[in-house]
Coordinates of all heavy atoms in Angstrom, one line a residue:
M1 N 0.9 -1.3 0.0 CA 0.0 0.0 0.1 C 0.9 1.3 0.0 O 1.8 1.3 0.7 CB -0.9 0.0 1.3 CG -1.8 1.2 1.3 SD -3.1 1.0 2.5 CE -2.2 1.6 4.0
S2 N 0.6 2.3 -0.9 CA 1.3 3.4 -1.0 C 0.9 4.4 0.1 O -0.1 4.2 0.7 CB 1.2 4.0 -2.4 OG 0.0 4.7 -2.6
L3 N 1.7 5.4 0.3 CA 1.5 6.5 1.3 C 0.1 7.2 0.8 O -0.7 7.4 1.6 CB 2.5 7.5 1.3 CG 2.3 8.7 2.1 CD1 2.1 8.4 3.6 CD2 3.5 9.7 2.0
L4 N 0.0 7.3 -0.4 CA -1.3 8.0 -1.0 C -2.5 7.2 -0.7 O -3.6 7.7 -0.5 CB -1.1 8.3 -2.5 CG -0.2 9.4 -2.8 CD1 0.0 9.4 -4.4 CD2 -0.6 10.7 -2.3
D5 N -2.2 5.8 -0.9 CA -3.4 5.0 -0.5 C -3.9 5.2 1.0 O -5.1 5.2 1.2 CB -3.2 3.4 -0.7 CG -2.9 3.1 -2.1 OD1 -3.3 3.8 -3.0 OD2 -2.4 2.0 -2.4
G6 N -3.0 5.3 1.8 CA -3.4 5.5 3.2 C -4.1 6.8 3.4 O -5.0 6.9 4.2
I7 N -3.6 7.8 2.7 CA -4.3 9.1 2.7 C -5.7 9.0 2.3 O -6.7 9.7 2.7 CB -3.5 10.2 2.0 CG1 -2.2 10.4 2.8 CG2 -4.2 11.6 2.1 CD1 -1.1 11.3 2.1
L8 N -5.9 8.5 1.0 CA -7.1 8.3 0.4 C -8.1 7.6 1.3 O -9.3 7.9 1.3 CB -7.0 7.7 -1.0 CG -6.5 8.5 -2.1 CD1 -6.3 7.6 -3.4 CD2 -7.4 9.6 -2.5
K9 N -7.7 6.6 2.0 CA -8.7 5.8 2.9 C -9.2 6.7 4.0 O -10.3 6.4 4.6 CB -7.9 4.6 3.5 CG -7.7 3.5 2.5 CD -7.1 2.3 3.2 CE -6.7 1.3 2.2 NZ -7.7 0.7 1.5
N10 N -8.6 7.8 4.4 CA -8.9 8.7 5.5 C -9.8 9.9 5.0 O -10.3 10.6 5.7 CB -7.8 9.3 6.2 CG -7.1 8.1 7.0 OD1 -7.8 7.4 7.7 ND2 -5.8 8.0 6.9
I11 N -10.1 10.0 3.6 CA -10.9 11.1 3.1 C -12.2 10.4 2.8 O -12.3 9.6 1.9 CB -10.2 11.6 1.9 CG1 -8.9 12.3 2.2 CG2 -11.2 12.7 1.4 CD1 -8.1 12.8 1.1
G12 N -13.2 10.9 3.5 CA -14.7 10.3 3.2 C -15.0 10.7 1.7 O -14.9 11.6 1.2
G13 N -15.5 9.6 1.0 CA -16.0 9.7 -0.4 C -15.0 9.6 -1.4 O -15.4 9.4 -2.5
A14 N -13.8 9.6 -0.9 CA -12.6 9.4 -2.0 C -12.5 7.9 -2.2 O -12.9 7.0 -1.4 CB -11.4 9.9 -1.4
P15 N -12.0 7.6 -3.5 CA -11.7 6.1 -3.7 C -10.7 5.6 -2.6 O -9.9 6.4 -2.1 CB -11.0 6.2 -5.0 CG -11.4 7.5 -5.7 CD -11.6 8.4 -4.6
D16 N -10.8 4.4 -2.3 CA -9.9 3.8 -1.2 C -8.4 3.7 -1.6 O -7.6 3.6 -0.7 CB -10.4 2.3 -0.9 CG -11.7 2.3 0.0 OD1 -12.0 3.4 0.5 OD2 -12.3 1.3 0.1
D17 N -8.1 3.7 -2.8 CA -6.6 3.7 -3.1 C -6.5 4.3 -4.6 O -7.4 4.7 -5.3 CB -6.1 2.2 -3.2 CG -6.8 1.3 -4.0 OD1 -7.3 1.7 -5.1 OD2 -6.9 0.1 -3.7
V18 N -5.2 4.5 -4.9 CA -4.8 5.1 -6.1 C -5.3 4.3 -7.4 O -5.7 4.9 -8.3 CB -3.3 5.4 -6.1 CG1 -2.7 6.0 -7.5 CG2 -2.8 6.4 -5.1
V19 N -5.3 3.1 -7.3 CA -5.6 2.2 -8.4 C -7.0 2.4 -8.7 O -7.5 2.7 -9.9 CB -5.4 0.6 -8.1 CG1 -6.0 -0.1 -9.2 CG2 -3.8 0.4 -8.1
N20 N -7.9 2.5 -7.7 CA -9.4 2.8 -7.9 C -9.5 4.2 -8.5 O -10.4 4.4 -9.4 CB -10.2 2.6 -6.7 CG -10.4 1.2 -6.3 OD1 -10.2 0.3 -7.1 ND2 -10.6 0.9 -4.9
L21 N -8.9 5.1 -8.0 CA -9.0 6.5 -8.4 C -8.6 6.6 -9.9 O -9.3 7.3 -10.7 CB -8.1 7.4 -7.6 CG -8.1 8.9 -8.1 CD1 -8.3 9.9 -6.9 CD2 -6.9 9.3 -8.8
A22 N -7.5 6.0 -10.2 CA -6.9 5.9 -11.6 C -7.9 5.4 -12.5 O -8.3 5.8 -13.7 CB -5.6 5.1 -11.6
E23 N -8.6 4.2 -12.1 CA -9.6 3.6 -12.9 C -10.9 4.5 -13.1 O -11.4 4.6 -14.2 CB -10.0 2.3 -12.2 CG -9.2 1.1 -12.3 CD -9.5 -0.1 -11.6 OE1 -10.7 -0.2 -11.2 OE2 -8.7 -1.1 -11.6
K24 N -11.1 5.3 -12.1 CA -12.5 6.1 -12.2 C -12.1 7.2 -13.3 O -13.0 7.7 -13.9 CB -12.7 6.6 -10.9 CG -13.4 5.8 -10.0 CD -13.8 6.4 -8.7 CE -14.7 5.3 -7.9 NZ -15.4 6.0 -6.9
V25 N -10.9 7.7 -13.4 CA -10.6 8.8 -14.2 C -10.0 8.3 -15.6 O -9.7 9.2 -16.4 CB -9.8 9.9 -13.5 CG1 -10.6 10.6 -12.4 CG2 -8.4 9.4 -13.2
G26 N -9.7 7.0 -15.7 CA -9.1 6.5 -16.9 C -7.7 6.7 -17.1 O -7.2 6.9 -18.4
I27 N -6.8 6.7 -16.1 CA -5.4 6.9 -16.3 C -4.6 5.7 -15.5 O -5.2 5.0 -14.8 CB -4.9 8.3 -15.9 CG1 -5.2 8.5 -14.3 CG2 -5.4 9.4 -16.8 CD1 -4.6 9.9 -13.9
D28 N -3.5 5.7 -15.8 CA -2.5 4.7 -15.1 C -2.2 5.1 -13.7 O -2.2 6.3 -13.4 CB -1.1 4.7 -16.0 CG -0.1 3.8 -15.4 OD1 -0.4 2.6 -15.5 OD2 0.8 4.3 -14.6
P29 N -2.3 4.0 -12.8 CA -2.1 4.5 -11.4 C -0.8 5.3 -11.0 O -0.9 6.0 -10.2 CB -2.0 3.0 -10.7 CG -2.8 2.2 -11.6 CD -2.5 2.6 -13.0
A30 N 0.3 4.9 -11.7 CA 1.5 5.8 -11.7 C 1.3 7.2 -11.8 O 1.7 8.1 -11.2 CB 2.7 5.1 -12.3
M31 N 0.6 7.5 -13.0 CA 0.4 8.7 -13.4 C -0.7 9.4 -12.3 O -0.6 10.7 -12.1 CB -0.4 8.8 -14.8 CG -0.6 10.3 -15.2 SD 0.7 11.5 -15.2 CE 1.7 11.0 -16.5
A32 N -1.6 8.7 -11.8 CA -2.6 9.2 -10.8 C -1.7 9.7 -9.5 O -2.0 10.8 -9.1 CB -3.6 8.2 -10.4
E33 N -0.7 8.9 -9.1 CA 0.1 9.3 -8.0 C 0.9 10.6 -8.3 O 0.9 11.4 -7.4 CB 1.1 8.1 -7.7 CG 0.5 7.0 -6.8 CD 1.5 6.2 -6.2 OE1 2.7 6.4 -6.3 OE2 1.0 5.0 -5.7
K34 N 1.4 10.6 -9.5 CA 2.1 11.8 -9.8 C 1.2 13.0 -9.9 O 1.6 14.1 -9.4 CB 2.8 11.7 -11.3 CG 3.6 12.9 -11.8 CD 4.4 12.7 -12.9 CE 5.0 14.1 -13.3 NZ 5.6 14.0 -14.7
A35 N 0.1 12.8 -10.5 CA -0.9 13.9 -10.6 C -1.3 14.5 -9.2 O -1.4 15.7 -8.9 CB -2.1 13.5 -11.4
I36 N -1.6 13.5 -8.3 CA -2.0 14.0 -6.9 C -0.9 14.8 -6.4 O -1.0 15.8 -5.6 CB -2.4 12.8 -6.0 CG1 -3.6 12.1 -6.6 CG2 -2.6 13.1 -4.5 CD1 -4.0 10.8 -5.9
A37 N 0.3 14.3 -6.5 CA 1.5 15.0 -5.8 C 1.8 16.4 -6.4 O 1.9 17.4 -5.8 CB 2.7 14.2 -6.0
V38 N 1.5 16.5 -7.8 CA 1.8 17.7 -8.6 C 0.6 18.7 -8.1 O 0.8 19.9 -7.9 CB 1.9 17.5 -10.0 CG1 1.8 18.9 -10.8 CG2 3.2 16.8 -10.3
L39 N -0.6 18.2 -8.0 CA -1.8 19.0 -7.6 C -1.6 19.6 -6.2 O -1.8 20.7 -6.0 CB -3.1 18.3 -7.7 CG -3.6 18.0 -9.0 CD1 -4.7 16.9 -9.0 CD2 -4.3 19.3 -9.6
G40 N -1.0 18.8 -5.3 CA -0.7 19.3 -3.9 C 0.4 20.3 -4.0 O 0.3 21.3 -3.3
K41 N 1.4 20.2 -4.9 CA 2.4 21.2 -5.0 C 2.0 22.5 -5.6 O 2.1 23.6 -5.1 CB 3.6 20.6 -5.9 CG 4.7 21.6 -6.2 CD 5.6 20.9 -7.2 CE 6.4 22.0 -8.0 NZ 7.2 21.4 -9.1
T42 N 1.2 22.4 -6.7 CA 0.6 23.5 -7.4 C -0.4 24.3 -6.6 O -0.6 25.5 -6.9 CB 0.2 23.1 -8.8 OG1 -0.9 22.3 -8.8 CG2 1.3 22.6 -9.8
H43 N -1.1 23.5 -5.7 CA -2.0 24.2 -5.0 C -1.4 25.3 -4.0 O -2.1 26.3 -3.6 CB -2.8 23.2 -4.0 CG -3.9 23.7 -3.2 ND1 -5.0 24.3 -3.8 CD2 -3.9 23.9 -1.9 CE1 -5.9 24.7 -2.8 NE2 -5.2 24.4 -1.7
Q44 N -0.2 25.1 -3.7 CA 0.5 26.1 -2.9 C 1.2 27.3 -3.6 O 1.7 28.2 -3.2 CB 1.7 25.4 -2.1 CG 1.1 24.3 -1.2 CD 2.2 23.5 -0.5 OE1 3.4 23.9 -0.6 NE2 1.9 22.4 -0.1
Q45 N 1.1 27.2 -5.0 CA 1.7 28.2 -5.8 C 0.6 29.3 -6.3 O -0.6 29.0 -6.2 CB 2.2 27.6 -7.1 CG 3.4 26.6 -6.8 CD 3.9 25.8 -8.0 OE1 3.2 25.7 -9.0 NE2 4.9 25.2 -7.8
D46 N 1.1 30.4 -6.7 CA 0.2 31.3 -7.3 C -0.3 30.9 -8.6 O 0.4 30.5 -9.5 CB 0.8 32.8 -7.4 CG 1.2 33.4 -6.1 OD1 0.4 33.1 -5.2 OD2 2.1 34.1 -6.0
G47 N -1.6 31.1 -8.9 CA -2.1 30.6 -10.2 C -3.2 29.6 -10.1 O -3.5 29.2 -8.9
D48 N -3.8 29.1 -11.1 CA -4.8 28.1 -11.1 C -4.1 26.8 -10.9 O -3.3 26.3 -11.7 CB -5.5 28.2 -12.4 CG -6.6 27.2 -12.4 OD1 -7.7 27.4 -11.9 OD2 -6.4 26.0 -12.9
T49 N -4.5 26.0 -9.8 CA -4.0 24.8 -9.4 C -3.9 23.8 -10.6 O -2.9 23.2 -10.9 CB -4.7 24.2 -8.2 OG1 -4.6 25.1 -7.1 CG2 -4.1 22.9 -7.8
V50 N -5.1 23.7 -11.2 CA -5.3 22.6 -12.3 C -4.4 22.9 -13.5 O -3.8 22.0 -14.1 CB -6.7 22.4 -12.6 CG1 -6.9 21.4 -13.8 CG2 -7.4 21.8 -11.3
E51 N -4.4 24.2 -13.9 CA -3.7 24.7 -15.1 C -2.2 24.5 -14.9 O -1.5 24.0 -15.7 CB -4.0 26.1 -15.4 CG -5.3 26.4 -16.1 CD -5.7 27.8 -16.3 OE1 -4.7 28.6 -16.4 OE2 -6.8 28.1 -16.4
L52 N -1.7 24.8 -13.8 CA -0.4 24.6 -13.4 C 0.1 23.1 -13.4 O 1.1 22.7 -13.9 CB 0.1 25.1 -12.0 CG 0.0 26.8 -11.9 CD1 0.1 27.2 -10.5 CD2 1.0 27.3 -12.8
A53 N -0.9 22.3 -12.9 CA -0.6 20.9 -12.9 C -0.6 20.3 -14.2 O 0.1 19.3 -14.5 CB -1.5 20.2 -11.9
A54 N -1.6 20.7 -15.0 CA -1.7 20.2 -16.5 C -0.3 20.5 -17.1 O 0.1 19.6 -17.9 CB -2.8 20.9 -17.1
K55 N 0.2 21.7 -17.0 CA 1.5 22.0 -17.6 C 2.5 21.1 -17.1 O 3.5 20.6 -18.0 CB 1.9 23.5 -17.3 CG 1.1 24.4 -18.1 CD 1.5 25.9 -17.8 CE 0.5 26.9 -18.5 NZ 0.7 28.3 -17.9
E56 N 2.6 20.7 -15.9 CA 3.7 19.9 -15.3 C 3.5 18.6 -15.6 O 4.6 17.8 -15.8 CB 3.8 20.2 -13.8 CG 5.0 19.5 -13.2 CD 5.4 20.2 -11.8 OE1 5.0 21.3 -11.5 OE2 6.0 19.4 -11.0
T57 N 2.3 18.0 -15.7 CA 2.1 16.6 -15.8 C 1.8 16.2 -17.3 O 2.0 14.9 -17.7 CB 0.9 16.0 -15.0 OG1 -0.3 16.6 -15.5 CG2 1.2 16.2 -13.6
G58 N 1.3 17.2 -18.2 CA 1.0 16.8 -19.4 C -0.4 16.2 -19.5 O -0.9 15.9 -20.6
L59 N -1.0 16.1 -18.4 CA -2.4 15.6 -18.4 C -3.5 16.7 -18.8 O -3.2 17.9 -18.4 CB -2.9 15.0 -16.9 CG -2.3 13.7 -16.6 CD1 -2.5 13.4 -15.1 CD2 -2.8 12.6 -17.4
D60 N -4.5 16.3 -19.3 CA -5.6 17.3 -19.6 C -6.2 17.8 -18.3 O -6.4 17.1 -17.4 CB -6.7 16.5 -20.4 CG -7.8 17.3 -20.8 OD1 -7.7 18.2 -21.7 OD2 -8.9 17.3 -20.1
S61 N -6.6 19.1 -18.3 CA -7.1 19.8 -17.2 C -8.4 19.0 -16.8 O -8.8 19.0 -15.6 CB -7.3 21.2 -17.3 OG -8.2 21.5 -18.5
G62 N -9.2 18.5 -17.7 CA -10.4 17.8 -17.4 C -10.1 16.5 -16.5 O -10.9 16.3 -15.5
V63 N -9.2 15.8 -16.9 CA -8.6 14.7 -16.1 C -8.3 15.1 -14.6 O -8.6 14.6 -13.6 CB -7.5 13.9 -16.8 CG1 -7.1 12.8 -15.8 CG2 -8.1 13.2 -18.0
L64 N -7.6 16.2 -14.6 CA -7.1 16.7 -13.3 C -8.2 17.3 -12.4 O -8.2 17.0 -11.2 CB -5.9 17.8 -13.5 CG -4.7 17.3 -14.1 CD1 -3.8 18.4 -14.6 CD2 -3.9 16.5 -13.0
N65 N -9.2 17.8 -13.0 CA -10.4 18.3 -12.3 C -11.1 17.1 -11.8 O -11.6 17.2 -10.7 CB -11.3 19.2 -13.2 CG -10.8 20.6 -13.3 OD1 -10.5 21.2 -12.3 ND2 -10.8 21.2 -14.4
Q66 N -11.2 15.9 -12.5 CA -11.8 14.8 -11.9 C -11.1 14.2 -10.8 O -11.7 13.9 -9.8 CB -11.9 13.7 -13.1 CG -12.8 14.0 -14.2 CD -12.8 12.8 -15.2 OE1 -12.8 11.7 -14.8 NE2 -12.6 13.3 -16.5
I67 N -9.8 14.3 -10.8 CA -9.0 13.8 -9.7 C -9.2 14.7 -8.5 O -9.5 14.2 -7.3 CB -7.4 13.8 -10.0 CG1 -7.2 12.7 -11.1 CG2 -6.6 13.6 -8.8 CD1 -5.8 12.7 -11.7
V68 N -9.3 16.0 -8.6 CA -9.5 17.0 -7.6 C -10.9 16.7 -6.9 O -11.0 16.5 -5.7 CB -9.5 18.4 -8.0 CG1 -10.0 19.3 -7.0 CG2 -8.0 18.8 -8.4
E69 N -11.9 16.3 -7.8 CA -13.3 16.0 -7.3 C -13.3 14.7 -6.5 O -13.9 14.7 -5.5 CB -14.2 15.9 -8.4 CG -14.6 17.2 -9.1 CD -15.4 17.1 -10.4 OE1 -16.0 16.1 -10.5 OE2 -15.5 18.1 -11.2
Q70 N -12.5 13.7 -7.0 CA -12.5 12.4 -6.5 C -11.8 12.4 -5.0 O -12.2 11.6 -4.2 CB -11.8 11.4 -7.3 CG -12.5 11.1 -8.6 CD -13.7 10.2 -8.3 OE1 -13.7 9.4 -7.4 NE2 -14.8 10.5 -9.0
I71 N -10.8 13.3 -4.8 CA -10.1 13.3 -3.7 C -10.8 14.3 -2.5 O -10.1 14.6 -1.5 CB -8.6 13.6 -3.8 CG1 -8.4 14.9 -4.3 CG2 -8.0 12.5 -4.6 CD1 -6.8 15.3 -4.3
G72 N -11.8 15.0 -3.0 CA -12.6 15.8 -2.1 C -12.4 17.3 -2.2 O -12.8 18.1 -1.4
G73 N -12.0 17.8 -3.5 CA -12.0 19.1 -3.7 C -10.7 19.9 -3.4 O -9.8 19.2 -2.9
E74 N -10.7 21.1 -3.8 CA -9.4 21.9 -3.6 C -9.0 21.9 -2.1 O -7.7 21.9 -1.7 CB -9.6 23.3 -4.0 CG -9.8 23.5 -5.4 CD -8.6 23.9 -6.2 OE1 -7.5 24.4 -5.4 OE2 -8.5 23.8 -7.3
G75 N -9.9 21.8 -1.1 CA -9.5 21.8 0.3 C -8.7 20.6 0.7 O -7.8 20.7 1.5
S76 N -8.9 19.5 0.0 CA -8.1 18.3 0.3 C -6.8 18.4 -0.3 O -5.8 17.7 0.3 CB -8.7 17.1 -0.4 OG -10.0 16.8 0.2
L77 N -6.6 19.2 -1.2 CA -5.1 19.4 -1.8 C -4.1 20.0 -0.7 O -3.0 19.6 -0.7 CB -5.1 20.3 -3.0 CG -5.9 19.7 -4.2 CD1 -6.0 20.7 -5.4 CD2 -5.2 18.4 -4.6
S78 N -4.7 20.9 0.1 CA -3.8 21.4 1.2 C -3.4 20.4 2.1 O -2.1 20.3 2.5 CB -4.5 22.4 2.0 OG -4.7 23.6 1.1
S79 N -4.2 19.4 2.4 CA -4.0 18.3 3.3 C -3.0 17.3 2.6 O -2.0 16.9 3.3 CB -5.3 17.5 3.7 OG -6.1 18.2 4.3
F80 N -3.1 17.0 1.4 CA -2.2 16.1 0.7 C -0.8 16.9 0.7 O 0.1 16.1 0.9 CB -2.6 16.0 -0.8 CG -3.6 14.8 -0.9 CD1 -4.9 15.1 -1.0 CD2 -3.1 13.6 -1.0 CE1 -5.8 13.9 -1.2 CE2 -3.9 12.4 -1.1 CZ -5.3 12.7 -1.2
A81 N -0.8 18.2 0.4 CA 0.5 18.8 0.3 C 1.2 18.7 1.5 O 2.4 18.5 1.7 CB 0.3 20.2 -0.2
S82 N 0.6 19.0 2.8 CA 1.2 19.1 4.0 C 1.6 17.7 4.5 O 2.7 17.5 5.0 CB 0.4 19.7 5.0 OG -0.8 19.0 5.3
M83 N 0.8 16.6 4.1 CA 1.3 15.2 4.5 C 2.4 14.7 3.6 O 3.3 13.9 4.1 CB 0.0 14.3 4.3 CG -0.9 14.5 5.4 SD -2.3 13.3 5.3 CE -3.6 14.3 4.6
L84 N 2.4 15.2 2.4 CA 3.5 14.6 1.5 C 4.8 15.4 1.5 O 5.8 14.9 1.2 CB 2.9 14.6 0.0 CG 1.8 13.7 -0.1 CD1 1.2 13.7 -1.6 CD2 2.0 12.2 0.1
D85 N 4.8 16.7 1.7 CA 5.9 17.5 1.8 C 6.5 17.5 3.2 O 6.5 18.5 3.9 CB 5.5 19.1 1.3 CG 6.7 19.9 1.2 OD1 7.9 19.3 1.1 OD2 6.5 21.2 1.2
Q86 N 7.3 16.4 3.4 CA 7.7 16.2 4.9 C 8.9 17.1 5.1 O 9.2 17.5 6.3 CB 8.2 14.7 4.9 CG 7.2 13.8 4.9 CD 7.6 12.3 5.1 OE1 8.7 12.0 4.9 NE2 6.6 11.5 5.5
D87 N 9.6 17.6 4.1 CA 10.7 18.6 4.5 C 10.3 20.1 4.3 O 11.1 20.9 4.5 CB 12.0 18.3 3.6 CG 11.7 18.5 2.1 OD1 10.6 18.9 1.7 OD2 12.7 18.1 1.3
G88 N 9.0 20.3 4.0 CA 8.5 21.7 4.0 C 9.0 22.6 3.0 O 9.1 23.8 2.9
D89 N 9.6 22.0 1.8 CA 10.3 22.8 0.9 C 9.3 23.2 -0.3 O 9.6 23.9 -1.2 CB 11.5 22.1 0.1 CG 11.1 20.9 -0.6 OD1 10.0 20.4 -0.6 OD2 12.1 20.4 -1.3
G90 N 8.0 22.7 -0.2 CA 7.0 23.2 -1.2 C 7.0 22.3 -2.4 O 6.2 22.4 -3.2
N91 N 7.8 21.2 -2.3 CA 7.8 20.3 -3.3 C 7.6 18.8 -2.8 O 8.5 18.2 -2.3 CB 9.1 20.4 -4.2 CG 9.2 19.4 -5.3 OD1 8.1 18.8 -5.6 ND2 10.3 19.4 -6.1
P92 N 6.3 18.3 -3.0 CA 6.2 17.0 -2.3 C 6.8 15.9 -3.2 O 7.0 14.7 -2.7 CB 4.6 16.8 -2.3 CG 4.1 17.8 -3.2 CD 5.2 19.0 -3.3
L93 N 7.0 16.1 -4.4 CA 7.6 15.1 -5.3 C 8.9 14.5 -4.8 O 9.1 13.3 -4.8 CB 7.8 15.6 -6.8 CG 6.5 16.0 -7.5 CD1 6.8 16.5 -8.8 CD2 5.5 14.6 -7.6
N94 N 9.8 15.4 -4.3 CA 11.1 14.9 -3.9 C 10.9 14.0 -2.6 O 11.6 12.9 -2.4 CB 12.1 15.9 -3.7 CG 11.8 16.9 -2.6 OD1 10.5 17.1 -2.2 ND2 12.7 17.4 -2.0
D95 N 9.8 14.2 -1.8 CA 9.7 13.5 -0.6 C 9.0 12.1 -1.0 O 9.4 11.2 -0.4 CB 8.7 14.2 0.3 CG 9.4 15.5 0.8 OD1 10.5 15.4 1.5 OD2 8.8 16.6 0.5
I96 N 8.1 12.1 -2.0 CA 7.5 10.8 -2.4 C 8.6 9.9 -3.1 O 8.7 8.7 -2.7 CB 6.4 11.0 -3.4 CG1 5.3 11.9 -2.8 CG2 6.0 9.8 -4.1 CD1 4.2 12.3 -3.7
V97 N 9.5 10.6 -3.8 CA 10.6 9.7 -4.3 C 11.5 9.2 -3.2 O 11.8 7.9 -3.2 CB 11.5 10.5 -5.4 CG1 12.7 9.8 -5.8 CG2 10.5 10.8 -6.5
G98 N 11.7 10.1 -2.2 CA 12.5 9.6 -1.0 C 11.8 8.4 -0.3 O 12.5 7.5 0.1
M99 N 10.5 8.6 -0.1 CA 9.8 7.5 0.6 C 9.8 6.2 -0.1 O 10.0 5.1 0.4 CB 8.3 7.9 0.8 CG 8.2 9.0 1.9 SD 6.4 9.5 2.0 CE 6.4 11.0 1.4
A100 N 9.6 6.3 -1.5 CA 9.7 5.1 -2.3 C 11.0 4.6 -2.4 O 11.2 3.3 -2.1 CB 9.2 5.4 -3.7
S101 N 12.1 5.3 -2.4 CA 13.4 4.7 -2.3 C 13.7 4.0 -1.0 O 14.3 3.0 -1.0 CB 14.4 5.9 -2.4 OG 14.4 6.4 -3.7
G102 N 13.2 4.6 0.0 CA 13.2 4.0 1.4 C 12.6 2.5 1.5 O 13.1 1.6 2.1
L103 N 11.3 2.4 0.9 CA 10.6 1.3 0.8 C 11.4 0.1 0.1 O 11.4 -1.1 0.4 CB 9.3 1.5 0.2 CG 8.3 2.2 0.8 CD1 7.1 2.5 0.0 CD2 7.9 1.5 2.1
F104 N 12.2 0.6 -0.9 CA 13.0 -0.5 -1.7 C 14.4 -0.6 -1.4 O 15.3 -1.1 -2.0 CB 12.8 -0.2 -3.2 CG 11.4 -0.1 -3.8 CD1 10.7 1.0 -3.9 CD2 10.7 -1.5 -3.8 CE1 9.4 0.9 -4.4 CE2 9.4 -1.4 -4.2 CZ 8.7 -0.4 -4.5
G105 N 14.7 0.1 -0.2 CA 16.1 -0.1 0.3 C 17.2 0.7 -0.4 O 18.4 0.5 -0.3
K106 N 16.7 1.7 -1.2 CA 17.7 2.6 -1.9 C 17.7 4.0 -1.3 O 16.8 4.4 -0.7 CB 17.2 2.8 -3.4 CG 17.2 1.4 -4.1 CD 16.7 1.7 -5.5 CE 16.4 0.4 -6.2 NZ 15.8 0.5 -7.5
K107 N 18.8 4.7 -1.3 CA 18.9 5.9 -0.8 C 19.7 6.8 -1.9 O 20.5 6.4 -2.5 CB 19.7 6.0 0.6 CG 18.7 5.6 1.6 CD 17.9 6.8 2.1 CE 17.0 6.5 3.2 NZ 16.2 7.5 3.7

C-alpha cells in the first residue's frame, strides 16, 4: 500500500486507493500518483492549481479536475501537500521519491 493509498482511505467519499482513483478517471495508477503530488504542489503556488498541474504533468485539465473532485475538492489538496511535503520545501515530489526509495532499500 502506498502512502497515497493511506491518505485516500482517510478521506470520506474518496476512492480507497490510487488504483481505484486511476480507474475512475481512466489513467495509469503511476500517473494518478504523480498527478496527486503535483496538484498538492501547485495548490501552494500562485495561479490556477489545475492549469499549473496540467503544464507539469501533461495531463488534460479535465482529467485533473476529475482527480480533484475524487479526492474531495481543492480543500483536500492542502492536506495532501502538507502530508506529502515532509521537508517543507514546497515540493512533495522529492519526498515521495525519497519515501519510495526507502521502501525499496535505496537511498
